[in-house]
Amino acid sequence: MNARVENLVTSGTFSLDGGTWDVDNNVWIVGDDAEVIVIDPAHDPAAIKAAVGDRKTLAVLLSHGHDDHIRAAVETAQLLGAPIHLNPADRMLWDTVYAEAPDAEIADGDVFTVAGVELTAKHTPGHSPGSTCFVAPALGAVFSGDTLFQGGPGATGRSYSSFDTIIESIREALLTLPGDTVVYTGHGDSTTIGAEAPHLEEWIARGH
């Protein structure tokens, strides 16, 4: 197996509920020297296209519909010649940025294959209603979007989010993965399931 995970960090802004914040986003490129899948192509289409190079892009997968994750998605997908996939529960977020629908919907359990590796979509609502993680057992990895970070769950203090829901999603869909599973996050440093699992009750007690 020659499939690998590549990371590109891009910078821009995130806007919701009348506020705007500067953010750095992780763009994940999964594949080999011939073909890739791009997860969360944020902010900088030209840099993402340069990182992909002349490899064939099979799909652009969006972990959720917040504007820092999607605002550059259509332009990037056009540069890469690939369809955009989004869980339809985040369509209301998508519709604040675009008039046209994404190319395809993501459902829980959908499997995307690249370079002989399967990425299985796990619906993990909480940060947003349609938040979705992508589990790649052959790579010992999960791409968690903004559902799970190093140090705890993603933010739930804004519209369309729920702390109780994100905790249940993490408990049921992510903490059941092997402890050595690497968590490739939407922002910041990667972690592992084993490093985060012991802190679940702390997060619940903290309540944010």
Side-chain angles (χ1 to χ4, degrees), residues 8 36 47 49 78 85-87 129 132 171 174 189:
L8 175 69
V36 299
K49 170 60 177 173
Q78 290 171 344
H85 299 249
L86 176 71
N87 187 299
T132 301
R171 188 201 308 271
L174 299 183
D189 293 335

Side-chain angles (χ1 to χ4, degrees), residues 24-208:
D24 295 328
N25 286 57
N26 288 320
V27 180
W28 299 105
I29 301 170
V30 186
D32 59 13
D33 291 338
E35 61 183 26
V36 299
I37 283 175
V38 177
I39 302 173
D40 288 338
H43 306 307
D44 194 336
I48 298 164
K49 170 60 177 173
V52 170
D54 60 1
R55 293 177 288 180
K56 178 177 177 60
T57 304
L58 304 182
V60 170
L61 304 182
L62 300 177
S63 66
H64 64 292
H66 284 152
D67 73 338
D68 56 322
H69 289 255
I70 71 168
R71 199 184 310 110
V74 167
E75 184 180 348
T76 304
Q78 290 171 344
L79 288 174
L80 299 175
I84 299 172
H85 299 249
L86 176 71
N87 187 299
D90 273 7
R91 181 65 190 273
M92 72 291 187
L93 293 166
W94 173 273
D95 288 346
T96 66
V97 178
Y98 297 109
E100 301 298 323
D103 299 303
E105 296 183 349
I106 299 173
D108 185 64
D110 281 353
V111 176
F112 302 89
T113 302
V114 60
V117 169
E118 292 185 343
L119 281 68
T120 300
K122 296 288 186 183
H123 185 206
T124 52
H127 181 67
S128 69
S131 285
T132 301
C133 298
F134 303 97
V135 181
L139 296 174
V142 58
F143 299 88
S144 65
D146 289 5
T147 295
L148 179 62
F149 292 107
Q150 184 184 79
T156 54
R158 303 188 182 101
S159 294
Y160 311 114
S161 65
S162 164
F163 178 76
D164 290 344
T165 302
I166 201 171
I167 288 295
E168 186 65 16
S169 291
I170 292 170
R171 188 201 308 271
E172 297 298 323
L174 299 183
L175 298 189
T176 52
L177 297 171
D180 59 356
T181 302
V182 178
V183 181
Y184 293 113
T185 60
H187 309 270
D189 293 335
S190 299
T191 183
T192 65
I193 293 298
E196 302 306 322
H199 303 292
L200 178 66
E201 297 306 320
E202 296 173 28
W203 304 336
I204 294 171
R206 198 170 64 204
H208 64 80

